[in-house]
Amino acid sequence: MSPNRSYSRRRLLQDTVCYAATTAALRAGALPQRRLESAVEQNKVEFSQIHGRAEQDEKASEPFLNPENRLGYAIVGLGRLSLNQIMPAFGECRLSRPAALVSGDRAKALKVAKQYGIPETSIYDYHNYEQLATNDAVQALYIVLPNGMHEEYVLRGAKTGKHILCEKPMATSSSEARRMMNACMLAKVKLMIAYRQQYEPNNLALRRLVSDGKLGRLRGFLASNSQQQGDPKQWRLNKALAGGGCLPDVGLYCINAARFHSNEEPVRVAAQLWQPKEDPRFREVEASVSFSMHFPSGYVATCTTSYDVHKSQTLRLEGTDAWADMNPAFAYSGNKLRWSGLDGDDEVLFEPRIEEKNQFSLEIDHFSECILGNNTPQTPGEEGLRDHLIMEAIYRAASTGRAIDLPV
Ligand code: NAD
């Protein structure tokens, strides 16, 4: 490791953490600035490098803010995603902590609160949710409810004055998405949509490959995000609560990735949809959708999504000079990037070993950093709205059998 690289990385981190710590403390009315900076400084542990030049640097653990100074989140809805992914992810958050719970099931909430050191007084239900306004330990709400409830809980949440992180899909329609953005703007609170893959290291590495020109000009994107759905009574198969079937739930990842990796917006979509209504799972929502999105540069995304096939989560980008793929592409962990192009006269396949990091922790800490620094998140409400407009065009294309133009 060159001394310069080591110095600048350490300095950057130190500056970020000190700034974050200071602002968090000031907002939370916690420690004064100087004491806080030294508290963070004291948390830093450094080792000398033990490896020789031929080895990769050993990654240093980044210092965490002391728990009492991290931004506090109220987790709204204690279902599978909250309990299996989000709550454990706080363990790897450097700037954020779980501070309150909102649930209709108090016994469950008590069990969770005990595990994560959340006081009983910070457990709320769906009726007294607004009382979060007076809980100074909470700076942000994380909405993890069925899609059809996002609008109500963002609108009511905005009135508490807390910033809002909302799960994907943002809502069940573009008009709901617009009302959510408007409510947050009027309440002067930040709104971020939890597109975790935009914070995931393999996806970030792929985006860098594209922006560094390693693939040449992008021409094609092929992706599939599908899974086999079970119980016909679950909310994901209920149109009012889900907004649709596989498209808004898992197909959304393909739409968002095609946009994220190309940094371009589609201008036309075409689609076909399959809904075998005799299957009790698909009385209200579609089972599969295949669709294409056409971009101004000539880049075309061809995607499939289904609730009736074995889990398949792949993505492939084809450029004029090289291709890249990920399999899996949208998983919670274990995503795998490869790319292939010419090296001299030889076609070479690169399989970089990218350090695994908890993408939920990265996503949550990104929102905390935006709150502390008063910045716009990478995935604000506008990002969710765009995907809703594209999904609405896909449904229209499937029902009319015609390609649908999107506003530029
Ligand atoms: P879930 O069914 O496991 O949990 C939903 C929670 O909402 C439960 O605690 C349930 O009790 C509560 N709830 C309150 N009112 C309800 C009602 N009327 N009907 C049904 N449940 C009700 O769902 P989940 O998988 O945790 O999904 C929650 C949100 O997270 C959804 O928006 C989903 O799209 C999103 N999600 C995102 C990811 C991701 O990778 N980012 C993964 C899974 C789910």
Side-chain angles (χ1 to χ4, degrees), residues 282-354:
F282 305 122
R283 286 205 187 105
E284 297 192 17
V285 300
E286 77 279 359
S288 313
V289 189
S290 59
F291 58 95
S292 58
M293 299 187 288
H294 303 254
F295 294 73
S297 66
Y299 163 69
V300 177
T302 310
C303 310
T304 58
T305 179
S306 179
Y307 264 171
D308 198 30
V309 302
H310 181 64
K311 190 185 275 275
S312 166
Q313 303 182 308
T314 63
L315 170 167
R316 183 178 169 98
L317 270 175
E318 294 174 339
T320 51
D321 299 349
W323 59 259
D325 70 12
M326 282 180 61
N327 185 5
F330 311 115
Y332 293 151
S333 61
N335 290 311
K336 181 92 191 74
L337 171 68
R338 308 184 306 169
W339 65 284
S340 183
L342 277 186
D343 185 12
D345 288 339
D346 300 318
E347 180 74 23
V348 177
L349 179 66
F350 298 91
E351 298 190 78
R353 195 144 28 109
I354 293 168

Side-chain angles (χ1 to χ4, degrees), residues 45-73:
V45 178
E46 285 188 280
F47 298 101
S48 60
Q49 285 296 327
I50 56 165
H51 291 136
R53 282 205 351 240
E55 302 295 342
Q56 233 183 358
D57 294 346
E58 193 177 0
K59 298 280 183 308
S61 163
E62 298 176 356
F64 285 46
L65 277 180
N66 290 347
E68 66 275 19
N69 297 323
R70 294 179 207 160
L71 284 196
Y73 282 70

Side-chain angles (χ1 to χ4, degrees), residues 147 172 236-239 242-249 285-286 307 395:
N147 314 339
T172 61
R236 279 185 169 78
L237 302 171
N238 172 312
K239 181 89 193 280
C246 55
L247 183 64
D249 189 26
V285 300
E286 77 279 359
Y307 264 171
Y395 281 128

Side-chain angles (χ1 to χ4, degrees), residues 77-81 108 126 144-147 149-150 167-169 194 196 235-236 241 249 253 332 360:
L78 299 182
R80 291 165 188 82
L81 187 71
K108 175 168 66 174
Y126 299 120
V144 202
L145 290 165
N147 314 339
M149 299 172 72
H150 291 181
E167 258 312 321
K168 53 52 63 181
R196 62 177 165 80
W235 67 260
R236 279 185 169 78
L241 282 172
D249 189 26
Y253 287 85
Y332 293 151
F360 289 95

Side-chain angles (χ1 to χ4, degrees), residues 187-255:
K188 296 189 171 54
V189 298
K190 291 185 192 298
L191 173 62
M192 170 168 143
I193 310 305
Y195 284 104
R196 62 177 165 80
Q197 80 276 17
Q198 290 201 24
Y199 305 92
E200 191 273 327
N202 285 271
N203 277 281
L204 291 174
L206 175 53
R207 196 178 203 227
R208 243 185 341 267
L209 278 181
V210 175
S211 60
D212 288 350
K214 293 278 197 309
L215 306 190
R217 288 185 301 282
L218 289 186
R219 292 292 179 240
F221 172 93
L222 299 161
S224 164
N225 197 10
S226 299
Q227 62 198 35
Q228 187 59 253
Q229 220 60 23
D231 180 10
K233 293 198 192 71
Q234 62 183 284
W235 67 260
R236 279 185 169 78
L237 302 171
N238 172 312
K239 181 89 193 280
L241 282 172
C246 55
L247 183 64
D249 189 26
V250 288
L252 176 71
Y253 287 85
C254 305
I255 298 172

Side-chain angles (χ1 to χ4, degrees), residues 8 112 125 133 160:
S8 60
V112 179
D125 60 31
T160 66

